[in-house]
Amino acid sequence: MSETVIDVRGLTKSFGGRKVVDNFDLKVPRGAIYGFLGPNGSGKTTTIRMVCGLLKPESGAGEVLGLDVLKESLKIKERVGYMTQKFSLYEDLSIRENLEFIARLYGLDRRVERVDRALEDLGLSERQAQLAGKLSGGWKQRLALAACMIHEPELLLLDEPTAGVDPKARRDFWDAIRRYSAQGVTTLVSTHYMDEAVQCDSIAYIAYGKKLIDSPTAEIPKQIGLHGWRVAGRPLQQAQEMLEQSPGVDLVARFGAEIHACGKDAAALERAVRAVKQAQPHVAIEPIEAGFEEIFIYLMSGAMDNFQ
Amino acid sequence: MNLPNLLDLSWARVFAVFLKELVQMRRDRPTFAIMIMMPVMQLVLFGYAINTDPRYLPAVVEMREDGPMTRAFLASLRASTFVDIVAVARTADEGEAMLRSGEANFLISIPEGFERRLVRGERPQILIAADASDPVAAGGALGAIERVAQSAFAPEFEGSLSYLAQGPPPYEIVVHRRYNPAGVTAFNIVPALLGVILTMTMVMITSIALTRETERGTMENLLATPVRPLEVMIGKTTPYVFVGAIQVAIVLIVATLLFRIPFTGSFLAFLIAVTLFILANLMLGYLISTVARTQMQAMQMTFFIFLPSILLSGFMFPFAAMPAWAQAIGEALPITHFLRIVREVVLKEAGLADIAGDLWPLALILVVLATLALLRFRRTLD
Ligand SMILES: Nc1ncnc2c1ncn2[C@@H]1O[C@H](COP(=O)(O)OP(=O)(O)OP(=O)(O)O)[C@@H](O)[C@H]1O
Ligand SMILES: [Mg+2]
C-alpha cells in the first residue's frame, strides 16, 4: 500500500514581495519518515505551516490525508500533529493543564488516562503541577512533542523537534518515530542534525524557498557525487589554509584532529590533497566517502545555488 | 468563509478554552486584583459632581392658553440656547409621558387663564418639572427660564400694562424636581459610573484576548488544533462575564452603603440590561483583539473607544445638548444606552417595558460586534 499522505503541488508564499517558498512540490507516502532540510531562513517552517493549513499559499494546491489543503484544513487539523519550532504551549499553565487543554480541544475520550500516560512516558508525572514556563528548554521541547502526539495523529509535522534536546532523549524520540512509522504514522520532520537526517527514509532539501533535492536518503551521496579525502595529523592549520585555497577543493570541513576535504572533481581534489601532503609530510591522507555532514555543509555553502 | 461554518461549535471545546482562560486569569493575580479594586477606587474618586454648562436640553411645553403674551414666551423659549422645545403638548399626560421617557428633560406648563390673572396682578405660576435624575442639567433650569421669561414679557409690559413692569415680576416660576428631589449629583454619577467601570475593564481585558496569544506565540498551537472561531470567542470571553458580575455587585453595594442611592425600578430589568451591556463590551474588546497586532495597539484602541464613551455618552455632558454628529456616535456606543437604562431603572422606577427602547439597540450592538469579531478572526497566521 503506497498511499500518499502529503501530496502538494506548486506551493508558493511571499512575504513582503519576496518569494519565501517557491513552487514547492512534495509527495510523502504513508508511513514514511521524511526529513526536511535546508539552511536557516530557507522556508521550511513556512512550508510546514502551509501543509497544515496555518498559512494560506498564494498559489498551488494539494491534498493532505486525502483532504484538500485549501478548503478542508479543519478536518486536516484533527488528524495532524504539528509541533511548532518555537515553544507555543502556555507558560502560565502547568504541564498537566497544557496536556489536558489540548486533549479537550481534540475531544479525546479517556482524557485523564491519556494525559497520565503521556506524563509517564515523558517522565514528568512528579512535576505535572509545575508551570510549563519554568521547564528547561529541552524539557519544553519534549513536552511540546508529547502534546502534539496526544491525539494519536496519522501525520506528524515536526519543526525541529529535537533542537536543544539531549542525545539520550533524541535517541528515544527517534525510536518512537520509527515505532509510529511501523504502525503507519507518517512523519515530516525538519532538522539541522545530520545524524537525524540519515535516519529518514527520504530527504527534501530546500534553499531560498526552492526544493533542490528530494530523494531517498541512501541515494543522495551518489546523486551529489561528492568525493572526499581525510587529512589527519598535527599541526593542521597550514594544511587547512592550503586546502582552502586549492582549486578542486569545494569544501574543507574540520573535525577536531582531521580535515575532510571534498570536491566534485575527483582528479582535481586528489591533486590538491597530494600537493598538501608534499608540503606537509607529517599529515596522513586517505580517500573517504563524503558523509551527510559534508554533503549538507557543501550544499549550504551555496555551491548548489544553480543546481537543477 | 461562510456563516454556517462560522457558527459551527462544540461545547466541549468551548469549555476547554473557558477553563484554560479561567486558570490563566486566576494566575494573573495583579490584573485580577485591579479588576476588583477599580470599581471601588473609581466610585470614591468620581462619586462627586462634575459640573457642566448644559445647552439645548430638550423640553416640552404644555400650553393651556394661547394669547399674545404666552406666544411671545414660547417664541423666546424657542430662541433660547438653554432649552430646545421638542414638542408643544396640549394635555398634561402627554407632557408627563415625554418627561418620563426621557424625550424631554423639562416640562414647562403655562396654566389656563395665565394672561388674565397676570393682568389682574394675581401672580400666576409658570410650572417647570425638571428631570433631576441628571441634576447638572436640572440645576440651571430656574435661572435660565427666569431670564427667558423676563426678556419675553418685557416688551409686552408697555402702554396700559406698564404697571406690570414695576416691582417683582407679575408671575412666579416654580420648579419641581422629579426623580431626584434633592438634586444629589451622586445619584446621577454613581449609577453612570457603573457603565464607565464596566466599559473600561471589560473592553480592556478582552482587547488583549487574542493579541496576547499572538504575541506569546501560543496562537500557532491554538490554530493548529481543530478549535473553531466561535468556540474561542465564547470560551475566552465567558470568564469575564463573572468578573463583570463581581464588579456590578461591588458598585451596587458601595452605591447603597456609601452613597445611599435608592434602587427604585425593576431589578430584573436591570439584570437583563447589565448582562447585555457586559456582553456588548466584551465583544467590543474581542473585536479590538482581532484587529490589534500587539498588546500595545490593543491598549491604544481601547482608549480610542474609552474617550467617546465618557464624553459622548451622556456621562460627562447631557446627551441632548450635544451636536447631532456627536449624538450619532453616542448612539452607537453601548454605554450610551446603558446609562439611560440605569438612570431610569435606578432613579425613575422604570420596568422592563420602559427601557425597551434602549434595550434593543444594546442587543443590536452586541450582535453586530460579535458578528464582526467572528468575521475578523484570522484562522491562519497570515
Ligand atoms: N510572518 C512572516 N513575515 C515575514 N517574513 C517571514 C514570516 N515568516 C517567515 N518569514 C521569512 O521567510 C523566510 C523563511 O522563513 P522560515 O521560517 O520558513 O525558514 P526556516 O527554513 O524554517 O528557517 P529556520 O531553519 O531558521 O527555522 C525567512 O526569510 C523569514 O524571514
Ligand atoms: Mg523554521
Side-chain angles (χ1 to χ4, degrees):
Chain A
M1 187 178 73
S2 72
E3 186 192 338
T4 311
V5 169
I6 300 180
D7 183 5
V8 291
R9 301 168 296 273
L11 290 187
T12 302
K13 184 81 190 173
S14 308
F15 288 119
R18 198 168 54 89
K19 274 194 183 156
V20 165
V21 176
D22 191 2
N23 209 8
F24 185 89
D25 301 331
L26 190 67
K27 263 191 206 297
V28 179
R30 177 168 295 276
I33 303 174
Y34 227 93
F36 198 14
L37 276 62
N40 290 138
S42 55
K44 298 182 297 295
T45 300
T46 308
T47 305
I48 294 177
R49 284 174 175 170
M50 282 193 282
V51 169
C52 69
L54 282 181
L55 282 177
K56 221 173 182 54
E58 274 149 40
S59 59
E63 292 82 44
V64 170
L65 294 159
L67 298 161
D68 190 307
V69 167
L70 299 175
K71 300 199 189 92
E72 297 175 290
S73 62
L74 269 179
K75 280 191 200 144
I76 294 176
K77 285 171 186 174
E78 298 197 3
R79 294 162 61 188
V80 168
Y82 168 48
M83 177 176 164
T84 57
Q85 178 171 4
K86 183 177 169 289
F87 184 69
S88 59
L89 293 174
Y90 296 92
E91 305 219 334
D92 50 352
L93 292 190
S94 72
I95 295 167
R96 184 176 193 99
E97 284 160 350
N98 267 301
L99 292 175
E100 291 219 336
F101 174 59
I102 302 289
R104 278 205 167 90
L105 285 186
Y106 283 101
L108 299 183
D109 57 347
R110 298 177 286 118
R111 192 181 63 247
V112 177
E113 193 186 316
R114 281 176 202 258
V115 171
D116 279 341
R117 211 186 43 235
L119 286 169
E120 220 163 284
D121 288 349
L122 266 173
L124 283 179
S125 299
E126 267 92 77
R127 294 158 71 188
Q128 54 176 278
Q130 193 182 338
L131 293 189
K134 299 258 159 69
L135 286 172
S136 74
W139 275 109
K140 277 185 186 166
Q141 208 71 358
R142 289 161 72 170
L143 172 63
L145 195 62
C148 85
M149 291 190 183
I150 201 159
H151 61 294
E152 294 169 12
E154 293 162 62
L155 170 62
L156 287 169
L157 298 173
L158 309 175
D159 200 355
E160 297 188 30
T162 55
V165 172
D166 65 50
K168 161 83 170 62
R170 271 170 62 195
R171 191 157 292 275
D172 293 346
F173 161 75
W174 277 95
D175 287 346
I177 295 290
R178 257 193 308 275
R179 232 176 15 249
Y180 291 135
S181 168
Q183 292 162 17
V185 175
T186 314
T187 306
L188 176 65
V189 52
S190 80
T191 179
H192 290 299
Y193 295 119
M194 289 312 126
D195 59 325
E196 293 186 353
V198 293
Q199 307 225 29
C200 299
D201 302 328
S202 291
I203 286 174
Y205 178 83
I206 183 174
Y208 309 103
K210 292 200 173 61
K211 192 176 75 176
L212 302 184
I213 295 168
D214 185 356
S215 308
T217 309
E219 289 172 21
I220 288 183
K222 201 168 63 196
Q223 201 178 352
I224 305 295
L226 200 61
H227 307 274
W229 281 78
R230 182 192 347 253
V231 179
R234 265 177 205 282
L236 268 181
Q237 200 51 37
Q238 267 175 322
Q240 182 169 353
E241 275 159 25
M242 269 186 79
L243 282 167
E244 273 161 2
Q245 266 138 47
S246 306
V249 181
D250 297 322
L251 171 79
V252 181
R254 179 81 180 254
F255 294 91
E258 56 185 61
I259 295 171
H260 293 185
C262 306
K264 297 267 274 191
D265 182 342
L269 179 69
E270 186 168 351
R271 264 199 305 282
V273 173
R274 292 208 183 281
V276 169
K277 170 79 181 162
Q278 209 123 66
Q280 306 266 320
H282 68 279
V283 300
I285 58 169
E286 174 193 6
I288 52 165
E289 209 166 280
F292 271 83
E293 195 85 29
E294 292 93 79
I295 290 175
F296 285 101
I297 295 173
Y298 170 68
L299 287 175
M300 288 178 198
S301 65
M304 294 288 287
D305 269 3
N306 300 315
F307 189 81
Q308 283 184 348
Chain B
M1 213 189 293
N2 48 3
L3 213 58
N5 190 348
L6 276 179
L7 296 179
D8 201 6
L9 121 159
S10 125
W11 288 108
R13 283 193 296 258
V14 171
F15 184 67
V17 178
F18 166 79
L19 211 62
K20 172 220 130 201
E21 209 64 30
L22 204 63
V23 172
Q24 285 185 308
M25 182 173 84
R26 216 188 51 212
R27 298 248 157 89
D28 191 359
R29 290 261 166 75
T31 308
F32 192 66
I34 287 171
M35 286 190 291
I36 301 304
M37 281 311 294
M38 184 146 88
V40 181
M41 283 164 48
Q42 296 256 341
L43 281 171
V44 172
L45 282 176
F46 296 109
Y48 301 95
I50 296 172
N51 246 317
T52 49
D53 180 17
R55 293 157 79 84
Y56 296 112
L57 300 173
V60 52
V61 182
E62 186 193 333
M63 292 277 273
R64 301 284 193 80
E65 174 156 313
D66 193 16
M69 285 188 201
T70 51
R71 251 174 283 155
F73 179 57
L74 183 59
S76 294
L77 279 177
R78 286 194 197 279
S80 125
T81 58
F82 179 69
V83 288
D84 174 20
I85 305 301
V86 291
V88 177
R90 293 289 160 192
T91 68
D93 288 349
E94 204 183 320
E96 285 289 338
M98 290 184 72
L99 192 61
R100 196 181 155 77
S101 69
E103 277 172 82
N105 279 357
F106 298 104
L107 169 60
I108 303 168
S109 323
I110 299 180
E112 239 167 295
F114 177 82
E115 282 188 26
R116 189 166 34 87
R117 294 171 58 201
L118 184 86
V119 174
R120 282 200 211 138
E122 288 176 14
R123 295 203 80 205
Q125 291 184 332
I126 297 174
L127 279 168
I128 301 171
D131 176 353
S133 65
D134 187 347
V136 178
L142 185 62
I145 305 287
E146 252 167 13
R147 281 193 298 280
V148 170
Q150 225 163 21
S151 65
F153 292 125
E156 304 287 332
F157 300 160
E158 272 176 5
S160 61
L161 294 177
S162 58
Y163 64 95
L164 291 172
Q166 260 92 73
Y171 49 85
E172 195 182 351
I173 295 177
V174 180
V175 176
H176 282 295
R177 291 173 181 279
R178 297 280 176 81
Y179 311 124
N180 179 9
V184 184
T185 312
F187 279 21
N188 174 52
I189 296 279
V190 170
L193 263 183
L194 176 60
V196 174
I197 291 164
L198 285 175
T199 300
M200 200 159 173
T201 42
M202 296 291 102
V203 175
M204 193 181 295
I205 207 72
T206 42
S207 73
I208 55 166
L210 293 175
T211 327
R212 192 177 56 180
E213 302 253 358
T214 311
E215 271 196 352
R216 292 189 185 170
T218 51
M219 197 60 168
E220 188 171 6
N221 211 329
L222 192 64
L223 287 178
T225 72
V227 75
R228 314 296 203 262
L230 184 60
E231 293 158 358
V232 177
M233 184 167 96
I234 299 177
K236 271 187 164 290
T237 50
T238 313
Y240 301 107
V241 175
F242 296 109
V243 175
I246 296 175
Q247 292 187 327
V248 171
I250 292 175
V251 172
L252 285 183
I253 291 169
V254 173
T256 335
L257 296 185
L258 214 62
F259 295 99
R260 309 216 166 275
I261 293 173
F263 193 103
T264 63
S266 148
F267 196 67
L268 175 72
F270 173 76
L271 276 187
I272 294 176
V274 84
T275 308
L276 274 181
F277 179 61
I278 288 174
L279 291 176
N281 278 321
L282 289 176
M283 285 308 128
L284 188 55
Y286 193 76
L287 179 62
I288 290 177
S289 84
T290 64
V291 180
R293 292 262 166 187
T294 62
Q295 296 194 39
M296 192 63 191
Q297 281 178 14
M299 285 298 146
Q300 283 165 344
M301 287 187 216
T302 302
F303 272 91
F304 190 75
I305 296 291
F306 193 56
L307 281 181
S309 291
I310 287 204
L311 298 175
L312 306 181
S313 62
F315 174 75
M316 202 74 124
F317 312 115
F319 191 78
M322 299 189 314
W325 63 265
Q327 290 192 359
I329 297 174
E331 291 286 353
L333 296 166
I335 188 172
T336 307
H337 300 280
F338 181 70
L339 288 187
R340 289 180 197 153
I341 292 174
V342 80
R343 279 173 182 164
E344 294 209 6
V345 172
V346 175
L347 301 172
K348 291 200 211 168
E349 300 168 26
L352 209 47
D354 301 300
I355 59 164
D358 279 303
L359 217 45
W360 73 259
L362 210 48
L364 180 69
I365 292 173
L366 167 63
V367 171
V368 169
L369 288 174
T371 311
L372 281 179
L374 270 185
L375 291 172
R376 284 269 340 164
F377 187 87
R378 289 184 293 265
R379 288 185 185 220
T380 60
L381 294 169
D382 291 274

